Amino acid sequence: MTGVIANYMLRPVREGDSELLLRWRNADHIRPFMYTDHLISESEHRQWFARMMGDESSAYFILEGSGGPLGMVCFTGIDENDRSAVMGCYLGETDAPRGSGTAMGYLALEWIFSNREVRQVRAEVLDFNEASRRFFTRLGFEETDVLPGKLERRGRKLDVIKFNVEREGWMSNHRPRLRERLEADIRE
């Protein structure tokens, strides 16, 4: 690949990423948008990390840019019988270059649709997370449902927006459009 996308790659999460992921998960620009927004202790994180590393139905990746790790993307609940998976992601570094999130999403969807027998990828976003709503829409996901009051925080009910992208639509429509955009020489 050429252009902007050539500056990025996904690699599987490895043991040495544990501290980095804890720092990102506790970051002020990420934590409020997760299902649980409390500060995660080292002990709680170690337990989560061990479960995540041993989970055969999940795949976790670090987005690497030319300057190092930038973010994390994962697929959980990979079910090749149901042919579906759930995607989650975040940019951990606040100074990630413009376009890093789109590159991460593109590479992740390329991976799941090329390496697993999955026909659809779902995502869930808290209703107030406008940036994630735009992100998934840009990748070709469609809003499919609203789960009113699915989550409660400090006595306040929050809606969850469900998104979905089908393999066929991704491969024929969204993938070529995004690839062209990411391969373009962007000069600002």
Side-chain angles (χ1 to χ4, degrees):
M1 288 190 192
T2 60
V4 171
I5 194 68
N7 296 326
Y8 300 97
M9 66 171 263
L10 291 182
R11 64 160 176 82
V13 168
R14 49 190 180 232
E15 291 292 332
D17 295 320
S18 182
E19 286 183 31
L20 175 66
L21 288 175
L22 176 58
R23 181 171 55 85
W24 286 348
R25 292 175 73 205
N26 276 334
D28 290 339
H29 70 282
I30 293 172
R31 194 176 67 252
F33 302 105
M34 297 177 73
Y35 274 114
T36 58
D37 65 346
H38 67 278
L39 280 173
I40 300 164
S41 70
E42 287 185 29
S43 172
E44 181 183 358
H45 176 72
R46 276 194 306 275
Q47 291 172 14
W48 170 84
F49 193 81
R51 279 192 314 273
M52 178 267 298
M53 292 296 282
D55 185 353
E56 297 284 323
S57 68
S58 297
Y60 285 76
F61 299 95
I62 297 291
L63 176 70
E64 293 266 359
S66 56
L70 298 171
M72 189 278 301
V73 61
C74 66
F75 294 99
T76 58
I78 299 171
D79 183 340
E80 293 187 5
N81 292 321
D82 185 42
R83 300 187 66 196
S84 66
V86 178
M87 181 177 171
C89 59
Y90 48 78
L91 285 175
E93 299 302 323
T94 56
D95 61 349
R98 188 170 186 265
S100 296
T102 302
M104 179 170 57
Y106 175 87
L107 292 169
L109 290 171
E110 278 287 285
W111 181 86
I112 193 78
F113 288 135
S114 298
N115 293 287
R116 297 292 181 101
E117 292 295 321
V118 166
R119 69 171 174 76
Q120 73 169 298
V121 174
R122 297 183 307 273
E124 293 185 353
V125 175
L126 299 179
D127 63 344
F128 61 88
N129 190 346
E130 291 298 326
S132 285
R133 290 173 80 170
R134 285 190 309 272
F135 167 78
F136 283 110
T137 301
R138 183 171 44 254
L139 290 177
F141 284 73
E142 294 178 6
E143 284 190 27
T144 58
D145 200 4
V146 176
L147 305 174
K150 179 178 178 181
L151 187 65
E152 187 172 335
R153 279 199 192 147
R154 293 174 283 290
R156 182 174 160 231
K157 298 239 183 232
L158 301 173
D159 296 346
V160 172
I161 312 297
K162 294 181 82 168
F163 288 84
N164 185 64
V165 65
E166 300 282 337
R167 181 185 193 283
E168 186 176 308
W170 164 254
M171 297 302 274
S172 63
N173 297 324
H174 310 299
R175 179 181 183 250
R177 175 182 50 81
L178 281 171
R179 185 177 184 131
E180 182 178 312
R181 177 179 168 192
L182 289 166
E183 287 185 343
D185 290 327
I186 298 175
R187 292 179 176 83
E188 295 184 28

